[in-house]
């Protein structure tokens, strides 16, 4: 089996020695080539190259951002014109995600351990026995995502966290909490809900303050605790949505508490939840912060979301 290991050298939870251990372990099972990312977007190009070369397996060592880039490279590597020309999952390299970031939502959603050595052992075992799963993906305009997207406050919080990390801060739950509080106090989303959700043949849902889209559950983790605004979201179904109509302190606090509970089921007058959607469009009166798989991608006024079923094979 031919494989490529795409390494983000800035991955937060691995060291050079650890990467060497991972490479030796993988080479005991596959014919391995190692590639290091040098800039944002480089992993997309590396994954596209893997598709063209007929590689059997792409392994990532990095966080959810690295996984997202590789997935987009795999999904677009065989295209000739449009997304309608995409190759079936069985004609693409399979993906194995070794957790190397701070949260690693995608890998953990697949049932892999949080720490990379234990996850590597599980991936090697899966390769030996041929344990592969085909999952669906989300598509936001022309970019794929694996587990979540957001328009509004959650994306603005991610933007704050990314700026803090560029200033040398470490990504921790407390950093996210401070960013949430700061955005809540100054963000326009709370005072002027400006997003509407449009679906073919359905009534438009307007005056939404923030929108969370999930392709699986959980949405994210706080340490070991799952955060589950849409607990029924699944790689095997369409997209799930949770939107808040107003960001009032009581209703927002209640939604967060419900999402953190062991039996999450967020409900309330300010909450809109939609399950297993094939397509919808978010339209904002003014540009809103936008994120995919935990990466801030700037501001958008309109984004079309589509569920892409049985899109990719993963080692789990």
């Amino acid at each position: 089996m031919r494989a490529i290991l795409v390494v983000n050298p800035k991955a937060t939870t691995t060291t050079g020695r650890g990467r060497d251990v991972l490479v030796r372990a993988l080479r005991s099972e596959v014919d391995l080539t190692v590639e290091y990312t040098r800039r944002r977007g480089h992993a997309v190009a590396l994954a596209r190259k893997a598709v063209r070369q007929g590689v059997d397996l792409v392994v990532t060592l990095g966080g959810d951002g690295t996984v997202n880039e590789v997935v987009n490279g795999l999904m677009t590597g065989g295209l000739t014109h449009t997304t309608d020309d995409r190759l079936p999952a069985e004609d693409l390299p399979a993906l194995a995600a070794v957790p190397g970031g701070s949260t690693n939502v995608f890998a953990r959603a697949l049932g892999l351990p949080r720490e990379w050595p234990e996850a590597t052992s599980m991936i090697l075992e899966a390769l030996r026995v041929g344990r592969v799963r085909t999952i669906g993906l989300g598509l936001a305009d022309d970019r794929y995502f694996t587990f979540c997207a957001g328009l509004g406050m959650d994306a603005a919080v991610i933007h704050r966290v990314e700026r803090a990390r560029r200033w040398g801060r470490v990504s921790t739950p407390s950093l996210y909490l401070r960013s949430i509080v700061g955005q809540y106090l100054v963000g326009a989303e709370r005072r002027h809900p400006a997003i509407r959700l449009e679906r073919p043949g359905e009534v438009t849902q307007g005056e939404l303050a923030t929108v969370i889209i999930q392709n699986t559950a959980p949405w994210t983790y706080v340490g070991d605790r799952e955060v589950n605004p849409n607990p029924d979201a699944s790689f095997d179904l369409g997209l799930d949505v949770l939107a808040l109509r107003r960001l009032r302190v009581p209703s927002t606090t209640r939604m967060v508490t419900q999402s953190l509970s062991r039996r999450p089921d967020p409900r309330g007058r300010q909450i809109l939840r939609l399950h297993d959607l094939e397509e919808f469009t978010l339209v904002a009166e003014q540009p809103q912060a936008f994120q995919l798989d935990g990466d801030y991608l700037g501001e958008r006024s309109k984004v079309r979301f589509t569920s892409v079923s049985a899109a990719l094979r993963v080692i789990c």
Side-chain angles (χ1 to χ4, degrees), residues 17-246:
R17 182 178 179 182
R19 290 193 290 269
D20 291 342
V21 171
L22 172 62
V23 169
R24 288 196 299 270
L26 289 171
R27 280 185 171 152
S28 69
E29 298 294 331
V30 297
D31 177 12
L32 186 69
T33 300
V34 182
E35 299 278 4
Y36 289 84
T37 61
R38 297 190 295 270
R39 60 189 179 276
R40 189 163 187 167
H42 189 199
V44 177
L46 292 174
R48 286 175 178 162
K49 180 180 177 182
V51 175
R52 293 193 297 270
Q53 292 180 339
V55 169
D56 302 298
L57 173 69
V58 176
V59 184
T60 62
L61 177 60
D64 290 309
T66 304
V67 173
N68 180 276
E69 287 194 11
V70 166
V71 166
N72 274 275
L74 293 176
M75 295 301 296
T76 59
L79 296 183
T80 56
H81 295 96
T82 70
T83 53
D84 294 333
D85 299 324
R86 68 180 180 88
L87 295 174
E90 57 269 21
D91 292 338
L92 294 173
L95 171 68
V98 178
S102 57
T103 309
N104 307 298
V105 178
F106 177 71
R108 294 164 73 180
L110 290 173
L112 293 172
R114 183 178 179 181
E115 303 298 328
W116 72 263
E118 290 80 5
T120 299
S121 296
M122 185 174 289
I123 288 170
L124 292 173
E125 178 189 356
L127 288 173
R128 294 185 192 108
V129 301
R131 190 165 60 236
V132 180
R133 175 183 178 185
T134 302
I135 65 169
L137 298 171
L139 183 63
D141 289 338
D142 59 354
R143 180 155 176 171
Y144 292 89
F145 61 97
T146 62
F147 65 92
C148 82
L151 191 70
M153 182 176 173
D154 88 302
V157 168
I158 287 171
H159 189 204
R160 281 174 170 262
V161 171
E162 289 186 355
R163 283 185 298 180
R165 293 182 67 181
R166 286 196 295 271
W167 296 336
R169 303 291 295 277
V170 177
S171 180
T172 62
S174 62
L175 175 59
Y176 275 90
L177 179 60
R178 290 193 296 272
S179 300
I180 290 170
V181 172
Q183 184 62 32
Y184 184 84
L185 292 176
V186 305
E189 309 95 345
R190 182 163 60 95
R191 297 181 297 276
H192 305 291
I195 304 170
R196 65 180 186 270
L197 187 151
E198 301 174 349
R199 287 190 290 163
E202 301 287 344
V203 175
T204 297
Q205 301 286 343
E207 294 190 333
L208 305 175
T210 190
V211 184
I212 293 168
I213 302 97
Q214 288 178 238
N215 186 49
T216 190
W219 172 49
T220 190
Y221 293 85
V222 177
D224 291 328
R225 178 66 68 87
E226 295 182 355
V227 185
N228 261 319
N230 290 296
D232 295 326
S234 169
F235 287 126
D236 300 321
L237 300 173
L239 301 174
D240 278 27
V241 170
L242 181 141
L244 288 173
R245 303 182 189 279
R246 296 287 188 278

Side-chain angles (χ1 to χ4, degrees), residues 197 205-212 214 228-231 240-260 264-275:
L197 187 151
Q205 301 286 343
E207 294 190 333
L208 305 175
T210 190
V211 184
I212 293 168
Q214 288 178 238
N228 261 319
N230 290 296
D240 278 27
V241 170
L242 181 141
L244 288 173
R245 303 182 189 279
R246 296 287 188 278
L247 293 174
R248 295 170 178 162
V249 173
S251 57
T252 303
T253 302
R254 184 165 53 251
M255 187 278 289
V256 172
T257 301
Q258 291 171 337
S259 298
L260 284 165
D265 188 21
R267 295 180 182 275
R269 288 184 298 175
Q270 303 302 329
I271 292 176
L272 169 69
R273 279 176 59 191
L274 300 169
H275 176 59

